[in-house]
Amino acid sequence: MQPMLNIAIRAARLAGNAISSSLENKKSIEVKQKGKNDFVTNIDLYCEELIIETIKKAYPDHSFTGEETGVHNGSNTEYRWIIDPLDGTFNFIRDIPHFSVSIALQVKGRTEIGVVYDPVKNELFSSIRGTGSKLNDQRIRISSVPQLTSALISIGSRKDSNNYSEKIISESYDIRRLGSAALDLCYVASGRTDGYIENGLKPWDIAAGELIAREAGAICTDFNGSAQYLKTGNIVCSNVKLLREILKNLA
Ligand code: 2AM
Ligand code: CA
Ligand code: CA
Ligand code: CA
């Protein structure tokens, strides 16, 4: 898996550098509205193509699913790269320096590699299943905060997250709404936050980050405690004790 991780890291850094350069020349950024609260730019599209091209050069038979260009099947559909070229597009558009590139590799439907790269802070989170997680070259580990009253929870920044956020705001120590789902999971992985809750996500938002979080000791479930979060798009992520308490508050 290490050679594949290296390729994923190369692709993530290339895309991240392209995103950073585009911010130096803001006139080069073209914004289009995709849905009610969903925007896309020419940079999202450019980066998705760049990532696919970079991985394809090394693995021409692999398959891809990307947020912006959809499904590309190679002759080998058992190896599928799940790509979010720019997670936190709205932050990017508003010049808020918090967004990431997210790349996961699934083999027969199971995530084996995850890379999330924050080009502004030059922070690269990565994991190979079974080997733990890293931030750049350092091993990372989740926090052990056992109860919600002392926990810092990041909740999704999508508007329909308001359904559960009032309860979590009142029960937790404090909350954050940071705007990149992939980084939210990596921040739990590295102990910066104690838990993360969001609904309505797609596989490319969370596939890489949830592996990085789990390999750093976190448990991820959907809102009813089952393991279907990649399918339902609803995810809770934290240490096991805190998770039980969060789930109670979502019920
Ligand atoms: P995106 O930037 O790649 O679209 C906060 O908005 C987080 O939710 C981001 O990770 C964002 O990913 C994700 N997200 C998923 N679906 C969304 C939607 N319909 N509108 C806005 N953000 C969405
Ligand atoms: Ca989007
Ligand atoms: Ca996303
Ligand atoms: Ca995106």
Side-chain angles (χ1 to χ4, degrees):
M1 283 293 151
Q2 188 64 48
M4 292 188 197
L5 176 64
N6 294 345
I7 294 292
I9 291 174
R10 183 188 305 166
R13 285 194 186 279
L14 281 172
N17 294 344
I19 296 167
S20 296
S21 317
S22 73
L23 284 173
E24 284 159 25
N25 176 17
K26 296 214 178 59
K27 283 190 192 132
S28 67
I29 303 170
E30 294 154 24
V31 181
K32 263 195 285 187
Q33 188 152 9
K34 270 209 302 196
K36 197 168 155 240
N37 290 306
D38 200 12
F39 292 88
V40 64
T41 74
N42 55 324
I43 310 301
D44 299 55
L45 280 168
Y46 173 80
C47 288
E48 184 157 316
E49 281 159 9
L50 181 63
I51 293 164
I52 293 175
E53 216 174 87
T54 304
I55 298 171
K56 247 191 185 164
K57 254 189 219 153
Y59 303 106
D61 57 332
H62 285 189
S63 299
F64 301 86
T65 300
E67 179 182 7
E68 306 304 341
T69 66
V71 174
H72 309 252
N73 285 336
S75 58
N76 182 349
T77 51
E78 291 189 345
Y79 282 69
R80 180 171 301 281
W81 296 83
I82 312 291
I83 299 161
D84 191 338
L86 178 39
D87 185 58
T89 294
F90 199 57
N91 278 347
F92 169 73
I93 291 169
R94 299 301 297 260
D95 212 0
I96 295 171
H98 187 82
F99 40 78
S100 61
V101 179
S102 174
I103 302 175
L105 171 65
Q106 292 185 340
V107 181
K108 296 187 190 172
R110 175 153 83 172
T111 306
E112 298 288 343
I113 284 172
V115 170
V116 174
Y117 180 50
D118 173 341
V120 176
K121 305 174 198 74
N122 192 25
E123 290 187 329
L124 190 128
F125 297 88
S126 67
S127 179
I128 297 175
R129 188 176 62 81
T131 70
S133 296
K134 288 180 181 170
L135 163 50
N136 296 332
D137 290 329
Q138 302 290 316
R139 296 218 154 272
I140 50 174
R141 198 66 205 157
I142 58 162
S143 79
S144 55
V145 169
Q147 73 264 32
L148 197 51
T149 50
S150 16
L152 179 62
I153 305 290
S154 70
I155 56 180
S157 48
R158 304 180 55 231
K159 276 173 82 182
D160 53 0
S161 315
N162 290 332
N163 297 340
Y164 55 77
S165 49
E166 285 310 320
K167 190 101 191 273
I168 299 297
I169 290 168
S170 70
E171 299 296 320
S172 64
Y173 178 77
D174 206 350
I175 62 130
R176 295 289 182 274
R177 306 186 87 163
L178 300 167
S180 162
L183 286 177
D184 283 320
L185 288 162
C186 293
Y187 280 24
V188 175
S190 51
R192 290 176 176 173
T193 56
D194 304 307
Y196 171 56
I197 310 166
E198 174 62 309
N199 64 304
L201 295 168
K202 300 286 189 205
W204 46 78
D205 297 311
I206 52 178
E210 70 86 20
L211 177 71
I212 292 165
R214 281 190 292 117
E215 286 291 327
I219 310 285
C220 298
T221 71
D222 66 11
F223 285 14
N224 58 27
S226 92
Q228 297 301 307
Y229 51 90
L230 274 173
K231 289 203 180 83
T232 62
N234 307 329
I235 188 167
V236 182
C237 172
S238 76
N239 71 55
V240 64
K241 267 196 165 165
L242 187 55
L243 188 99
R244 279 195 211 110
E245 213 185 325
I246 295 173
L247 290 176
K248 259 188 243 155
N249 278 278
L250 292 176

